[in-house]
C-alpha cells in the first residue's frame, strides 16, 4: 500500500452500477481509491458481475461487495428511482446512512438526488439540496452552486444555496469569509429574470458577504468565492466550461504556441480525475455525484473527496433529518420564508 497520496478512514459506499460504463469503471475505480488514497470502499450492485471483475483486477477481498439486483437506468430522472427499493442506488444510500459513511454515484443526477433525499433527508430548514463544484480560477477556486441538483428553485431556495455554498467554501477551500455573487445577465442591481431579481432581494439580508450580481465571465475570473444560480443554468455553465476548456486547449495545441505538456497541466485542473465530482449539499449525510463518463481515476478521486467530506462533517451519517421520508423534497417546506432562511443558516455547519 505504499505511495498513497492521502489516508481516509471514512467508509465510502459506491454505486457500482452507475455511470455510462458501470462496473467496468467503478470496480477499478474502487480499487484505486483503496490502494492510492486509503479509502475503505463498499461496492453495491450485482455481485455476480462485480466479484469476477475484482478477481480480474487482483482485488478480491480488498473492497466489500453488497448485492443489489436492480439498476436505475441513466435515463431515469426522478421519483421512479426511489421506488426501486432493490436498486444499487437505494440499497447504497441505505448502507451509507446505516454505516455513517459517504455515498458516491456516477448515475443519473436526478435519480441520485431523489434517492439521497429520500434516504438521508434534508438538514433542518433546508428546502432543496444543491450540487457544489469548486472551479479553478487564477487566484484559487470558486464554488458554483447549484450545478444541477434543483433545476427550478424558488428565490428562497437560491438564498439557501448561497448559505450552503458559503459554508462549503469555508470548509473545503479554507476561505474564512467567502464572498457570494448571484449569476445574472448584468452586474447592475435589478438585472436578470424574475427569479434572479427576487433572489437579489433576499441575499443582502443573509449572514454572508454579498457581492451583488456577477456575470458569466466572472465565474472563472475569481471575482467571488461563491457563484449562486439555479441548477439548470448552473449545469449549462459547468458543461460549457468543460467544453470551452477542452476546445480552446485543442486549438492552442494545433498552433504549437504552448510547450509540450504545458497544456496538459491546464487540462488537468478541470478534469474529473482532479476534482472528483460535485458534492450534494443540504443533506443529513455526505453524497458526491460523479460524472457519468467518469474514468476509474475520476471514480477514485470522487471516493477520496467523499471520504474526506464525511470525516469533516459531524452530521454525516447521523440518520434521518427533517424532510426525510416518502414526501421528502416535494412541495413547500416549513423552512420557506425569512424565518426558514434564518433556520437554514443555523443548520448549515
Amino acid at each position: 500500500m505504499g505511495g498513497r497520496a492521502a489516508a481516509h478512514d471514512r467508509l465510502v459506499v459506491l454505486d457500482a452500477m452507475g455511470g455510462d460504463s458501470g462496473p467496468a469503471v467503478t470496480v477499478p475505480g474502487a480499487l484505486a481509491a483503496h490502494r492510492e488514497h486509503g479509502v475503505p470502499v463498499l461496492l453495491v450492485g450485482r455481485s455476480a458481475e462485480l466479484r469476477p471483475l475484482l478477481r480480474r483486477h487482483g482485488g478480491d477481498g480488498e473492497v466489500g461487495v453488497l448485492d443489489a439486483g436492480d439498476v436505475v437506468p441513466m435515463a431515469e430522472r426522478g421519483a421512479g428511482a426511489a421506488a426501486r427499493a432493490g436498486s444499487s442506488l437505494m440499497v447504497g444510500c441505505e448502507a451509507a446512512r446505516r454505516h455513517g459513511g459517504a455515498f458516491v454515484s456516477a448515475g443519473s443526477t436526478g435519480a441520485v438526488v431523489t434517492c439521497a433525499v429520500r434516504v438521508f433527508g434534508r438538514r433542518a430548514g433546508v428546502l432543496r439540496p444543491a450540487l457544489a463544484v469548486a472551479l479553478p480560477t487564477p487566484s484559487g477556486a470558486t464554488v458554483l452552486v447549484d450545478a444541477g441538483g434543483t433545476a427550478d428553485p424558488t428565490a428562497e431556495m437560491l438564498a439557501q444555496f448561497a448559505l450552503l455554498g458559503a459554508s462549503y467554501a469555508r470548509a473545503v477551500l479554507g476561505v474564512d469569509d467567502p464572498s457570494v455573487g448571484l449569476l445574472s445577465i448584468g452586474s447592475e442591481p435589478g438585472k436578470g429574470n424574475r427569479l434572479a431579481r427576487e433572489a437579489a432581494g433576499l441575499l443582502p439580508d443573509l449572514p454572508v458577504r454579498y457581492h451583488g450580481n456577477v456575470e458569466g465571465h466572472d465565474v472563472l475570473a475569481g471575482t467571488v468565492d461563491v457563484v449562486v444560480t439555479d441548477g439548470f443554468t448552473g449545469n449549462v455553465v459547468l458543461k460549457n466550461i468543460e467544453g470551452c476548456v477542452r476546445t480552446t486547449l485543442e486549438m492552442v495545441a494545433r498552433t504549437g504556441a504552448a510547450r509540450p505538456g504545458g497544456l496538459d497541466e491546464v487540462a488537468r485542473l478541470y478534469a474529473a480525475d482532479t476534482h472528483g465530482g460535485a458534492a450534494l449539499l443540504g443533506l443529513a449525510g455526505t453524497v458526491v455525484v460523479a460524472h457519468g463518463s467518469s474514468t476509474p481515476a475520476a471514480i477514485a478521486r470522487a471516493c477520496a473527496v467523499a471520504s474526506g467530506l464525511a470525516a469533516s462533517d459531524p452530521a454525516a451519517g447521523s440518520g434521518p433529518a427533517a424532510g426525510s421520508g416518502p414526501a421528502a423534497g416535494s412541495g413547500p417546506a416549513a423552512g420557506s420564508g425569512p424565518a426558514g432562511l434564518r433556520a437554514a443558516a443555523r443548520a448549515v455547519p
Side-chain angles (χ1 to χ4, degrees), residues 265-324:
E265 297 174 9
V266 177
R268 194 175 299 114
L269 291 174
Y270 295 91
D273 297 10
T274 301
H275 62 72
L280 187 57
L281 307 181
L283 298 180
T286 301
V287 176
V288 170
V289 182
H291 202 290
S293 60
S294 290
T295 62
I299 292 294
R301 183 60 186 160
C303 290
V305 167
S307 183
L309 287 174
S312 65
D313 182 1
S318 60
S324 62

CSV table of all heavy atoms in Angstrom, one decimal, residues 265-324:
chain,number,residue,atom,x,y,z
A,265,GLU,N,-1.2,20.4,-18.1
A,265,GLU,CA,-1.3,20.9,-16.7
A,265,GLU,C,-2.6,21.7,-16.6
A,265,GLU,O,-3.3,21.6,-15.5
A,265,GLU,CB,-0.1,21.8,-16.4
A,265,GLU,CG,1.2,21.0,-16.4
A,265,GLU,CD,2.4,21.9,-16.2
A,265,GLU,OE1,2.2,23.1,-15.9
A,265,GLU,OE2,3.5,21.4,-16.4
A,266,VAL,N,-3.0,22.5,-17.6
A,266,VAL,CA,-4.2,23.3,-17.5
A,266,VAL,C,-5.4,22.4,-17.6
A,266,VAL,O,-6.4,22.5,-16.8
A,266,VAL,CB,-4.2,24.3,-18.6
A,266,VAL,CG1,-5.6,25.1,-18.6
A,266,VAL,CG2,-3.1,25.3,-18.5
A,267,ALA,N,-5.4,21.4,-18.5
A,267,ALA,CA,-6.5,20.5,-18.7
A,267,ALA,C,-6.7,19.7,-17.4
A,267,ALA,O,-7.9,19.4,-17.1
A,267,ALA,CB,-6.2,19.5,-19.9
A,268,ARG,N,-5.6,19.3,-16.7
A,268,ARG,CA,-5.8,18.5,-15.5
A,268,ARG,C,-6.5,19.3,-14.4
A,268,ARG,O,-7.2,18.7,-13.6
A,268,ARG,CB,-4.4,18.1,-15.0
A,268,ARG,CG,-4.4,17.0,-14.0
A,268,ARG,CD,-3.0,16.6,-13.6
A,268,ARG,NE,-2.3,16.1,-14.8
A,268,ARG,CZ,-1.2,16.6,-15.3
A,268,ARG,NH1,-0.7,17.8,-14.8
A,268,ARG,NH2,-0.6,16.1,-16.4
A,269,LEU,N,-6.4,20.6,-14.4
A,269,LEU,CA,-7.1,21.4,-13.4
A,269,LEU,C,-8.6,21.2,-13.5
A,269,LEU,O,-9.3,21.3,-12.5
A,269,LEU,CB,-6.8,22.9,-13.6
A,269,LEU,CG,-5.4,23.3,-13.2
A,269,LEU,CD1,-5.2,24.8,-13.6
A,269,LEU,CD2,-5.1,23.1,-11.8
A,270,TYR,N,-9.1,21.0,-14.7
A,270,TYR,CA,-10.6,20.9,-14.9
A,270,TYR,C,-11.0,19.5,-15.1
A,270,TYR,O,-12.2,19.3,-15.4
A,270,TYR,CB,-11.0,21.8,-16.1
A,270,TYR,CG,-10.7,23.3,-15.8
A,270,TYR,CD1,-9.5,23.9,-16.2
A,270,TYR,CD2,-11.7,24.1,-15.2
A,270,TYR,CE1,-9.3,25.2,-15.9
A,270,TYR,CE2,-11.5,25.4,-15.0
A,270,TYR,CZ,-10.3,26.0,-15.3
A,270,TYR,OH,-10.1,27.3,-15.1
A,271,ALA,N,-10.2,18.5,-15.0
A,271,ALA,CA,-10.5,17.2,-15.3
A,271,ALA,C,-11.2,16.5,-14.0
A,271,ALA,O,-10.9,16.9,-12.9
A,271,ALA,CB,-9.3,16.3,-15.6
A,272,ALA,N,-12.1,15.6,-14.3
A,272,ALA,CA,-12.8,14.9,-13.2
A,272,ALA,C,-11.9,14.1,-12.4
A,272,ALA,O,-12.1,13.9,-11.2
A,272,ALA,CB,-13.9,14.0,-13.8
A,273,ASP,N,-10.7,13.7,-13.0
A,273,ASP,CA,-9.7,12.9,-12.2
A,273,ASP,C,-9.2,13.8,-11.1
A,273,ASP,O,-8.6,13.3,-10.1
A,273,ASP,CB,-8.6,12.5,-13.1
A,273,ASP,CG,-9.0,11.6,-14.2
A,273,ASP,OD1,-10.3,11.4,-14.4
A,273,ASP,OD2,-8.2,11.0,-14.9
A,274,THR,N,-9.3,15.1,-11.2
A,274,THR,CA,-8.7,16.0,-10.2
A,274,THR,C,-9.8,16.4,-9.2
A,274,THR,O,-9.5,16.3,-8.0
A,274,THR,CB,-8.2,17.3,-10.9
A,274,THR,OG1,-7.2,16.9,-11.9
A,274,THR,CG2,-7.6,18.3,-9.9
A,275,HIS,N,-10.9,16.9,-9.7
A,275,HIS,CA,-11.9,17.4,-8.7
A,275,HIS,C,-12.9,16.3,-8.2
A,275,HIS,O,-13.5,16.4,-7.2
A,275,HIS,CB,-12.7,18.6,-9.2
A,275,HIS,CG,-13.5,18.3,-10.5
A,275,HIS,ND1,-14.7,17.5,-10.5
A,275,HIS,CD2,-13.3,18.7,-11.8
A,275,HIS,CE1,-15.2,17.5,-11.7
A,275,HIS,NE2,-14.4,18.1,-12.5
A,276,GLY,N,-13.0,15.2,-9.0
A,276,GLY,CA,-13.8,14.0,-8.5
A,276,GLY,C,-15.3,14.1,-8.7
A,276,GLY,O,-15.9,13.0,-9.0
A,277,GLY,N,-15.9,15.2,-8.5
A,277,GLY,CA,-17.4,15.2,-8.7
A,277,GLY,C,-17.9,16.4,-8.0
A,277,GLY,O,-17.2,17.3,-7.5
A,278,ALA,N,-19.3,16.4,-7.8
A,278,ALA,CA,-20.0,17.5,-7.2
A,278,ALA,C,-20.6,17.0,-5.8
A,278,ALA,O,-21.1,15.9,-5.8
A,278,ALA,CB,-21.1,18.0,-8.1
A,279,ALA,N,-20.4,17.8,-4.8
A,279,ALA,CA,-21.0,17.5,-3.5
A,279,ALA,C,-22.4,17.9,-3.4
A,279,ALA,O,-22.7,19.1,-3.8
A,279,ALA,CB,-20.2,18.2,-2.4
A,280,LEU,N,-23.3,17.0,-3.0
A,280,LEU,CA,-24.7,17.4,-2.8
A,280,LEU,C,-24.9,18.0,-1.4
A,280,LEU,O,-24.9,17.3,-0.4
A,280,LEU,CB,-25.6,16.1,-3.0
A,280,LEU,CG,-27.1,16.3,-3.1
A,280,LEU,CD1,-27.4,17.3,-4.2
A,280,LEU,CD2,-27.8,15.0,-3.3
A,281,LEU,N,-25.1,19.3,-1.4
A,281,LEU,CA,-25.2,20.0,-0.1
A,281,LEU,C,-26.6,20.1,0.4
A,281,LEU,O,-27.6,20.0,-0.4
A,281,LEU,CB,-24.7,21.4,-0.3
A,281,LEU,CG,-23.3,21.6,-0.9
A,281,LEU,CD1,-22.9,23.0,-1.0
A,281,LEU,CD2,-22.2,20.8,-0.1
A,282,GLY,N,-26.8,20.2,1.7
A,282,GLY,CA,-28.1,20.3,2.3
A,282,GLY,C,-28.7,19.1,2.8
A,282,GLY,O,-29.8,19.1,3.3
A,283,LEU,N,-28.0,18.0,2.8
A,283,LEU,CA,-28.5,16.7,3.3
A,283,LEU,C,-27.9,16.3,4.6
A,283,LEU,O,-26.8,16.8,5.0
A,283,LEU,CB,-28.1,15.5,2.3
A,283,LEU,CG,-28.7,15.6,0.9
A,283,LEU,CD1,-28.2,14.4,0.1
A,283,LEU,CD2,-30.2,15.7,0.9
A,284,ALA,N,-28.5,15.4,5.4
A,284,ALA,CA,-28.0,14.9,6.6
A,284,ALA,C,-27.1,13.7,6.3
A,284,ALA,O,-27.3,12.6,6.9
A,284,ALA,CB,-29.1,14.6,7.6
A,285,GLY,N,-26.2,13.9,5.5
A,285,GLY,CA,-25.2,12.9,5.1
A,285,GLY,C,-24.4,13.4,3.9
A,285,GLY,O,-24.6,14.5,3.4
A,286,THR,N,-23.4,12.6,3.6
A,286,THR,CA,-22.4,13.1,2.5
A,286,THR,C,-22.7,12.3,1.2
A,286,THR,O,-22.6,11.0,1.2
A,286,THR,CB,-21.0,12.8,3.0
A,286,THR,OG1,-20.7,13.6,4.2
A,286,THR,CG2,-20.0,13.3,1.9
A,287,VAL,N,-22.9,13.0,0.2
A,287,VAL,CA,-23.2,12.4,-1.1
A,287,VAL,C,-22.4,13.2,-2.2
A,287,VAL,O,-22.4,14.4,-2.2
A,287,VAL,CB,-24.7,12.5,-1.5
A,287,VAL,CG1,-24.9,11.9,-2.9
A,287,VAL,CG2,-25.5,11.7,-0.5
A,288,VAL,N,-21.6,12.4,-3.0
A,288,VAL,CA,-20.9,13.0,-4.1
A,288,VAL,C,-21.4,12.4,-5.4
A,288,VAL,O,-21.5,11.2,-5.5
A,288,VAL,CB,-19.4,12.8,-4.0
A,288,VAL,CG1,-18.6,13.2,-5.2
A,288,VAL,CG2,-18.8,13.6,-2.8
A,289,VAL,N,-21.7,13.3,-6.4
A,289,VAL,CA,-22.2,12.8,-7.7
A,289,VAL,C,-21.0,13.0,-8.7
A,289,VAL,O,-20.6,14.1,-8.9
A,289,VAL,CB,-23.4,13.7,-8.2
A,289,VAL,CG1,-23.9,13.1,-9.5
A,289,VAL,CG2,-24.5,13.6,-7.1
A,290,ALA,N,-20.6,11.9,-9.2
A,290,ALA,CA,-19.5,11.9,-10.2
A,290,ALA,C,-20.1,12.0,-11.6
A,290,ALA,O,-21.3,11.7,-11.8
A,290,ALA,CB,-18.7,10.6,-10.1
A,291,HIS,N,-19.2,12.4,-12.5
A,291,HIS,CA,-19.7,12.5,-13.9
A,291,HIS,C,-20.0,11.1,-14.5
A,291,HIS,O,-19.4,10.1,-14.2
A,291,HIS,CB,-18.5,13.1,-14.8
A,291,HIS,CG,-19.0,13.8,-16.0
A,291,HIS,ND1,-19.5,13.1,-17.1
A,291,HIS,CD2,-19.1,15.1,-16.4
A,291,HIS,CE1,-19.8,13.9,-18.1
A,291,HIS,NE2,-19.6,15.1,-17.7
A,292,GLY,N,-21.1,11.1,-15.3
A,292,GLY,CA,-21.5,9.8,-15.9
A,292,GLY,C,-20.4,9.2,-16.8
A,292,GLY,O,-20.4,7.9,-16.9
A,293,SER,N,-19.5,9.9,-17.4
A,293,SER,CA,-18.5,9.4,-18.2
A,293,SER,C,-17.1,9.3,-17.4
A,293,SER,O,-16.1,9.3,-18.0
A,293,SER,CB,-18.3,10.3,-19.4
A,293,SER,OG,-17.9,11.6,-19.1
A,294,SER,N,-17.2,9.2,-16.1
A,294,SER,CA,-16.0,9.1,-15.3
A,294,SER,C,-15.1,8.0,-15.7
A,294,SER,O,-15.6,6.9,-16.1
A,294,SER,CB,-16.4,9.0,-13.8
A,294,SER,OG,-17.0,10.1,-13.3
A,295,THR,N,-13.8,8.2,-15.5
A,295,THR,CA,-12.8,7.2,-15.7
A,295,THR,C,-12.6,6.5,-14.3
A,295,THR,O,-13.1,7.0,-13.3
A,295,THR,CB,-11.5,7.8,-16.2
A,295,THR,OG1,-11.0,8.7,-15.1
A,295,THR,CG2,-11.6,8.5,-17.5
A,296,PRO,N,-11.9,5.4,-14.3
A,296,PRO,CA,-11.5,4.8,-12.9
A,296,PRO,C,-10.8,5.8,-12.0
A,296,PRO,O,-11.1,5.9,-10.8
A,296,PRO,CB,-10.6,3.6,-13.3
A,296,PRO,CG,-11.1,3.2,-14.6
A,296,PRO,CD,-11.5,4.5,-15.4
A,297,ALA,N,-10.0,6.7,-12.6
A,297,ALA,CA,-9.2,7.6,-11.8
A,297,ALA,C,-10.2,8.7,-11.2
A,297,ALA,O,-10.1,9.1,-10.1
A,297,ALA,CB,-8.2,8.3,-12.6
A,298,ALA,N,-11.2,9.1,-12.0
A,298,ALA,CA,-12.2,10.0,-11.5
A,298,ALA,C,-13.1,9.4,-10.4
A,298,ALA,O,-13.4,10.1,-9.4
A,298,ALA,CB,-13.1,10.5,-12.7
A,299,ILE,N,-13.4,8.2,-10.6
A,299,ILE,CA,-14.2,7.5,-9.5
A,299,ILE,C,-13.4,7.4,-8.2
A,299,ILE,O,-13.9,7.7,-7.1
A,299,ILE,CB,-14.6,6.1,-10.0
A,299,ILE,CG1,-15.6,6.1,-11.1
A,299,ILE,CG2,-15.2,5.3,-8.8
A,299,ILE,CD1,-17.0,6.7,-10.7
A,300,ALA,N,-12.1,7.1,-8.4
A,300,ALA,CA,-11.2,7.0,-7.2
A,300,ALA,C,-11.1,8.4,-6.5
A,300,ALA,O,-11.2,8.4,-5.3
A,300,ALA,CB,-9.8,6.5,-7.6
A,301,ARG,N,-11.0,9.4,-7.3
A,301,ARG,CA,-10.9,10.8,-6.7
A,301,ARG,C,-12.2,11.1,-6.0
A,301,ARG,O,-12.2,11.7,-5.0
A,301,ARG,CB,-10.6,11.8,-7.8
A,301,ARG,CG,-10.4,13.2,-7.3
A,301,ARG,CD,-9.3,13.3,-6.3
A,301,ARG,NE,-9.2,14.6,-5.7
A,301,ARG,CZ,-8.6,14.9,-4.5
A,301,ARG,NH1,-8.0,13.9,-3.9
A,301,ARG,NH2,-8.6,16.1,-4.1
A,302,ALA,N,-13.4,10.8,-6.6
A,302,ALA,CA,-14.7,11.1,-6.0
A,302,ALA,C,-14.8,10.4,-4.7
A,302,ALA,O,-15.3,10.9,-3.7
A,302,ALA,CB,-15.8,10.6,-7.0
A,303,CYS,N,-14.3,9.1,-4.6
A,303,CYS,CA,-14.4,8.4,-3.3
A,303,CYS,C,-13.5,9.1,-2.3
A,303,CYS,O,-13.9,9.2,-1.1
A,303,CYS,CB,-13.9,7.0,-3.5
A,303,CYS,SG,-15.1,5.9,-4.5
A,304,ALA,N,-12.3,9.5,-2.7
A,304,ALA,CA,-11.4,10.2,-1.7
A,304,ALA,C,-12.0,11.5,-1.2
A,304,ALA,O,-12.0,11.9,0.0
A,304,ALA,CB,-10.1,10.5,-2.4
A,305,VAL,N,-12.7,12.3,-2.2
A,305,VAL,CA,-13.3,13.5,-1.8
A,305,VAL,C,-14.5,13.3,-0.8
A,305,VAL,O,-14.6,13.9,0.2
A,305,VAL,CB,-13.8,14.3,-3.0
A,305,VAL,CG1,-14.8,15.4,-2.7
A,305,VAL,CG2,-12.7,14.8,-3.9
A,306,ALA,N,-15.3,12.3,-1.1
A,306,ALA,CA,-16.4,11.9,-0.3
A,306,ALA,C,-16.0,11.5,1.1
A,306,ALA,O,-16.6,11.9,2.1
A,306,ALA,CB,-17.3,10.8,-1.0
A,307,SER,N,-15.0,10.7,1.2
A,307,SER,CA,-14.5,10.2,2.5
A,307,SER,C,-14.0,11.4,3.3
A,307,SER,O,-14.3,11.5,4.5
A,307,SER,CB,-13.4,9.2,2.3
A,307,SER,OG,-12.9,8.7,3.5
A,308,GLY,N,-13.3,12.3,2.7
A,308,GLY,CA,-12.8,13.5,3.4
A,308,GLY,C,-13.9,14.4,3.9
A,308,GLY,O,-13.9,14.9,5.0
A,309,LEU,N,-14.9,14.6,3.0
A,309,LEU,CA,-16.0,15.4,3.4
A,309,LEU,C,-16.8,14.8,4.6
A,309,LEU,O,-17.2,15.5,5.5
A,309,LEU,CB,-17.0,15.6,2.2
A,309,LEU,CG,-16.5,16.5,1.1
A,309,LEU,CD1,-17.5,16.5,-0.1
A,309,LEU,CD2,-16.4,17.9,1.6
A,310,ALA,N,-17.0,13.5,4.5
A,310,ALA,CA,-17.7,12.8,5.6
A,310,ALA,C,-17.0,12.9,6.9
A,310,ALA,O,-17.6,13.0,8.0
A,310,ALA,CB,-18.0,11.3,5.2
A,311,ALA,N,-15.7,12.7,6.8
A,311,ALA,CA,-14.9,12.8,8.1
A,311,ALA,C,-14.9,14.2,8.7
A,311,ALA,O,-14.8,14.3,9.9
A,311,ALA,CB,-13.4,12.4,7.7
A,312,SER,N,-15.1,15.2,7.9
A,312,SER,CA,-15.1,16.6,8.4
A,312,SER,C,-16.5,17.1,8.8
A,312,SER,O,-16.6,18.2,9.3
A,312,SER,CB,-14.5,17.5,7.4
A,312,SER,OG,-15.2,17.6,6.2
A,313,ASP,N,-17.5,16.3,8.5
A,313,ASP,CA,-18.9,16.7,8.8
A,313,ASP,C,-19.5,15.9,9.9
A,313,ASP,O,-19.8,14.7,9.7
A,313,ASP,CB,-19.7,16.5,7.5
A,313,ASP,CG,-21.1,17.0,7.7
A,313,ASP,OD1,-21.5,17.5,8.7
A,313,ASP,OD2,-21.9,16.9,6.7
A,314,PRO,N,-19.7,16.5,11.1
A,314,PRO,CA,-20.2,15.7,12.2
A,314,PRO,C,-21.6,15.3,12.0
A,314,PRO,O,-22.1,14.3,12.7
A,314,PRO,CB,-20.1,16.7,13.4
A,314,PRO,CG,-20.1,18.1,12.7
A,314,PRO,CD,-19.4,17.9,11.4
A,315,ALA,N,-22.4,15.9,11.1
A,315,ALA,CA,-23.7,15.5,10.9
A,315,ALA,C,-23.9,14.3,9.9
A,315,ALA,O,-24.9,13.7,9.7
A,315,ALA,CB,-24.6,16.7,10.4
A,316,ALA,N,-22.8,14.0,9.1
A,316,ALA,CA,-22.9,13.0,8.1
A,316,ALA,C,-23.2,11.6,8.8
A,316,ALA,O,-22.6,11.2,9.7
A,316,ALA,CB,-21.5,12.9,7.3
A,317,GLY,N,-24.1,11.0,8.2
A,317,GLY,CA,-24.5,9.6,8.7
A,317,GLY,C,-25.2,9.7,10.0
A,317,GLY,O,-25.3,8.6,10.6
A,318,SER,N,-25.8,10.8,10.3
A,318,SER,CA,-26.5,10.9,11.6
A,318,SER,C,-27.9,10.4,11.6
A,318,SER,O,-28.6,10.5,12.6
A,318,SER,CB,-26.5,12.3,12.1
A,318,SER,OG,-27.1,13.2,11.2
A,319,GLY,N,-28.3,9.9,10.5
A,319,GLY,CA,-29.7,9.3,10.4
A,319,GLY,C,-30.7,10.3,9.8
A,319,GLY,O,-30.3,11.4,9.3
A,320,PRO,N,-31.9,9.9,9.7
A,320,PRO,CA,-32.9,10.8,9.1
A,320,PRO,C,-33.0,12.1,9.7
A,320,PRO,O,-32.9,12.3,10.9
A,320,PRO,CB,-34.2,10.0,9.3
A,320,PRO,CG,-33.8,8.6,9.5
A,320,PRO,CD,-32.5,8.7,10.2
A,321,ALA,N,-33.2,13.1,8.9
A,321,ALA,CA,-33.4,14.5,9.3
A,321,ALA,C,-34.7,15.1,9.0
A,321,ALA,O,-35.5,14.4,8.4
A,321,ALA,CB,-32.2,15.4,8.7
A,322,ALA,N,-34.9,16.3,9.3
A,322,ALA,CA,-36.2,17.0,8.9
A,322,ALA,C,-36.3,16.9,7.4
A,322,ALA,O,-35.3,17.2,6.6
A,322,ALA,CB,-36.2,18.4,9.3
A,323,GLY,N,-37.4,16.4,6.9
A,323,GLY,CA,-37.6,16.3,5.4
A,323,GLY,C,-37.3,15.0,4.9
A,323,GLY,O,-37.3,14.8,3.7
A,324,SER,N,-36.9,14.0,5.7
A,324,SER,CA,-36.7,12.6,5.2
A,324,SER,C,-38.0,11.9,5.1
A,324,SER,O,-39.0,12.3,5.7
A,324,SER,CB,-35.7,11.9,6.1
A,324,SER,OG,-36.3,11.7,7.4
